[in-house]
Amino acid sequence: MNLKILFILFLMALTTIFILVTVLLTRKEKATPCGVEPQASLKERHNNQSLVFAGLSAKEMVHVIRYLQSHLGLPLVDAFHANPSDNCIYYMDLQLPSKDEVLNFLDHGGTQPTRQALVVVYFGSQSDPNITEYVVGPLPGPTYHQDVTVQKYGGKLPYHSRMVLGNEYEQIEKFLLEKKLPEAPTFLNQVFGHNGSDFEGLTSAPRGFQSGDRATWIALYQNVPGFFLHPVGLELLVDHSSLNVSRWSVPKVFYNGQYYNGLAELERAFLEKRVRVEKIKTVASDGGFSSVNPRVPPMGFGPLPFEPCGPRYSVSNNQVVSSFWSFAFRMDVNMGPCVYDIRFQGHRIVYELSVQDAMSIYGSNSPGGMSTRYMDANFGMGRFTYSLVRGVDCPYSATYLDGVYLIETLTPEVQKNSICLFEENTGAPFRRHFSNLQSLFYGGLPGSALVLRSISTMGNYDYVWDFVFHLNGAIESKVRATGYITSSFLYGDGLDYGNRVADHTLGTIHTHLINYKVDLDIGEKLCLSCSSDSDWGIH
C-alpha cells in the first residue's frame, strides 16, 4: 500500500473522529420527564384507614371536656389557674387501640376500632387526693368513661407524684419573692444589687429521693437571654408538698459551696461576715456571650434545596405517601413524634416507630446539678414543639403541618407549622460505579430521602427529631441536641464535675439517654424496644 492511500485513510479517520466529537458535544439532551409517578397518582393511594392513628382533633377534645364536666360529678378548674387543692384535667391524648384490633381492621377488613381519648385528671379537692386516668369514648360523641388507673398501675396513683403545673411554678415564685427572699435583704442587695426580683430560676427533678417527697432545688441565674449560662451561686430548696401554700418552706439554702438552714440563717451569717462572697459581673442586658444575636454581618444566602418538579410525595390528613413509602403519623403530647404502619413498596415493615423519652443525668458539686435527672417525656416533648422557621428549621419548600394539644388547659391549643415533611438530597450517590477495566462506562443514581421532622424545646435544650426514609428501604431515626447547656456556679473542686465555660460558669458533666420504641413487622409480628446513647440515633 503506497503512502498516498495511507494518507487518505488517515485523513478519513481524523474526519470521522472530528464528526463524532462534534455530534457528542453539540447534541441536545432530551428533556427528562418530571417524576415517574405524578402527584395525581400519589393522591389516589391515600386512604382513611390511617385515621385510626390520628391525634385528637380540637373538636373531639372539646366534646370530651364537656362530657367529663357533666358526668364526673365534681367541679373541674382550668388547670392553667388550678391550685394544688383543686380538681383539674392535666392532659388529654389519643387512646391507641390494641395492635390486634388495628391489624384486623387494616389487613382483614375487620371493624374499625372504637376511637377513644385518654384523660388524666388531678383530684386535689378530695379527702384522698389522687391522680386518675380515664378512657373516654366513643368519639366524637362520648357516652362513657372508664377509670383505668388500677388496671394500668396496679393501684391508685399518689397525688404527690403529679407533675408541677404552670400555676404551681408561679405560686412558688410568688412564695419566694413575697415570703422568703425578704428574709435576707442585706445579703441580696449587697451581693447581687437587688432584692431577689431580678433572678431567673431553673428547677431540678425529680422532686425528692423517696415516696412522698415534693421538694425542688431551684438554682438562680441572672435574668438575661440565655440565662442558663449565668449562675449566681445561690440555690434554694423549696418544700411544696403541702396542698396549702401557706405551709410551704425553704429548709435549705446553698451559696458558694456552703449550706444554710434557710434564708434567715444566711442573712445572719452574712451580717456576721461568715459568708464567703464571690462577686460576679452583671451581664449585659442581651446576655453577653449567651446572646443568639449574630456577631458578624450576614454572609448572604447559602445553598438552597430545589424541587424542579415539585414535591415527590403527598400528604392527606395524617398519612404520607411517596413512590416507595407510606406511613401514618401523630404527635404524642408527652413522648413527641410517632410514626405508624410504615410500608415500603406496599409492604408493612414497621408497625410503630416512636420516641419514648429523652433522659439527661447531671453531675455537679452543687445540689441542683447533682440531683437533676430529667425525664423529658414527663414535661411533654410533644407539647413543647413550636412553629418551625422556614429556611432554618426546615427547607423553604417543605410541607408544614400543625399539631393540636390539650394540656394544663380546657382549651385545645394549635401549634401552627410545628411538623415539617420534605425530601432532601443526601449529598452522596445512592449507587454509582465508574468502570475503567476493559470497557469504559459510568452508572449512578442520586441519593435522596424523605424526612419527617419536629423540634422539642425542653427548657434549655432543643431536640431536633428526624425520621428519615431512604430509597433502599432503610429507616433512620436520629436526634440532634442544640440550644443551651445547663450550668452550675463554678467554685472549689467544680472542675472535677465539668469544664469552665466562663469565669463563674461550670458546664456540668452529664449523659443523655434517648429511648425509642420499634415494633417491627417483617414476616411476622415482632416488637423491639431500642435505646441509644452513643450515636444519637438508630438505623
Side-chain angles (χ1 to χ4, degrees), residues 47-100:
N47 60 68
N48 289 330
Q49 286 186 319
S50 66
L51 294 175
V52 72
F53 302 109
L56 299 179
S57 68
K59 189 174 182 180
E60 288 174 321
M61 292 174 177
V62 170
H63 286 316
V64 172
I65 290 172
R66 289 174 180 171
Y67 170 84
L68 291 176
Q69 286 174 327
S70 60
H71 287 81
L72 283 183
L74 293 169
L76 293 174
V77 176
D78 190 326
F80 187 80
H81 304 291
N83 294 312
S85 57
D86 290 329
N87 304 323
C88 66
I89 293 175
Y90 173 47
Y91 79 85
M92 181 190 308
D93 209 338
L94 174 71
Q95 172 67 19
L96 274 173
S98 70
K99 182 176 179 179
D100 286 339

Side-chain angles (χ1 to χ4, degrees), residues 49 51-53 94-108 110-117 135 144 151 330 340-341 348 351-352 517 519 521 525:
Q49 286 186 319
L51 294 175
V52 72
F53 302 109
L94 174 71
Q95 172 67 19
L96 274 173
S98 70
K99 182 176 179 179
D100 286 339
E101 287 181 282
V102 174
L103 291 182
N104 184 51
F105 168 62
L106 294 179
D107 299 344
H108 306 294
T111 304
Q112 182 170 347
T114 302
R115 190 162 169 81
Q116 302 176 114
V135 170
Y144 62 82
Q151 174 186 336
R330 77 178 182 97
Y340 303 94
D341 194 23
R348 181 184 302 114
Y351 178 77
E352 178 182 354
K517 177 181 178 182
D519 186 348
D521 273 6
K525 290 185 291 184

Side-chain angles (χ1 to χ4, degrees), residues 299-361:
M299 299 173 62
F301 286 106
L304 297 173
F306 175 54
E307 295 177 321
C309 301
R312 299 190 296 180
Y313 59 85
S314 177
V315 185
S316 178
N317 297 317
N318 68 320
Q319 187 182 49
V320 177
V321 172
S322 73
S323 296
F324 294 94
W325 293 97
S326 69
F327 57 85
F329 66 90
R330 77 178 182 97
M331 185 66 72
D332 186 285
V333 68
N334 294 311
M335 297 183 296
C338 307
V339 186
Y340 303 94
D341 194 23
I342 303 174
R343 304 187 187 212
F344 180 69
Q345 294 184 329
H347 300 284
R348 181 184 302 114
I349 58 175
V350 178
Y351 178 77
E352 178 182 354
L353 173 57
S354 57
V355 178
Q356 297 292 294
D357 209 341
M359 184 177 181
S360 48
I361 303 169

Side-chain angles (χ1 to χ4, degrees), residues 39-275:
Q39 271 281 324
S41 61
L42 286 177
K43 291 179 179 179
E44 291 173 359
R45 290 172 50 194
H46 285 293
N47 60 68
N48 289 330
Q49 286 186 319
S50 66
L51 294 175
V52 72
F53 302 109
L56 299 179
S57 68
K59 189 174 182 180
E60 288 174 321
M61 292 174 177
V62 170
H63 286 316
V64 172
I65 290 172
R66 289 174 180 171
Y67 170 84
L68 291 176
Q69 286 174 327
S70 60
H71 287 81
L72 283 183
L74 293 169
L76 293 174
V77 176
D78 190 326
F80 187 80
H81 304 291
N83 294 312
S85 57
D86 290 329
N87 304 323
C88 66
I89 293 175
Y90 173 47
Y91 79 85
M92 181 190 308
D93 209 338
L94 174 71
Q95 172 67 19
L96 274 173
S98 70
K99 182 176 179 179
D100 286 339
E101 287 181 282
V102 174
L103 291 182
N104 184 51
F105 168 62
L106 294 179
D107 299 344
H108 306 294
T111 304
Q112 182 170 347
T114 302
R115 190 162 169 81
Q116 302 176 114
L118 176 68
V119 185
V120 176
V121 181
Y122 290 172
F123 286 111
S125 182
Q126 288 189 354
S127 56
D128 181 22
N130 64 87
I131 304 169
T132 302
E133 292 195 5
Y134 293 105
V135 170
V136 182
L139 302 181
T143 59
Y144 62 82
H145 62 284
Q146 178 187 1
D147 184 343
V148 296
T149 312
V150 175
Q151 174 186 336
K152 288 180 66 174
Y153 303 103
K156 288 186 175 182
L157 294 177
Y159 196 58
H160 62 77
S161 65
R162 72 195 184 279
M163 286 299 296
V164 178
L165 300 180
N167 194 50
E168 187 172 353
Y169 281 122
E170 291 184 8
Q171 289 175 322
I172 291 173
E173 180 182 2
K174 183 179 179 181
F175 166 71
L176 291 175
L177 286 173
E178 296 183 359
K179 302 293 185 183
K180 305 311 294 183
L181 289 174
E183 295 179 359
T186 310
F187 168 78
L188 291 172
N189 277 290
Q190 291 190 18
V191 175
F192 303 113
H194 56 84
N195 62 359
S197 61
D198 200 23
F199 288 132
E200 276 286 356
L202 190 64
T203 66
S204 64
R207 315 289 172 179
F209 299 99
Q210 61 185 6
S211 181
D213 285 352
R214 194 172 177 83
T216 302
W217 277 103
I218 300 177
L220 300 181
Y221 298 78
Q222 295 192 55
N223 183 16
V224 293
F227 69 87
F228 310 101
L229 302 181
H230 302 288
V232 299
L234 181 62
E235 301 185 12
L236 312 175
L237 178 63
V238 179
D239 183 342
H240 49 114
S241 55
S242 175
L243 301 187
N244 187 339
V245 177
S246 65
R247 296 180 181 175
W248 289 358
S249 64
V250 178
K252 288 290 181 183
V253 173
F254 178 86
Y255 174 70
N256 195 21
Q258 183 66 45
Y259 288 90
Y260 302 90
N261 295 318
L263 282 156
E265 181 175 296
L266 172 61
E267 174 78 356
R268 288 194 299 272
F270 179 75
L271 293 174
E272 296 169 3
K273 302 187 184 306
R274 292 186 289 107
V275 176

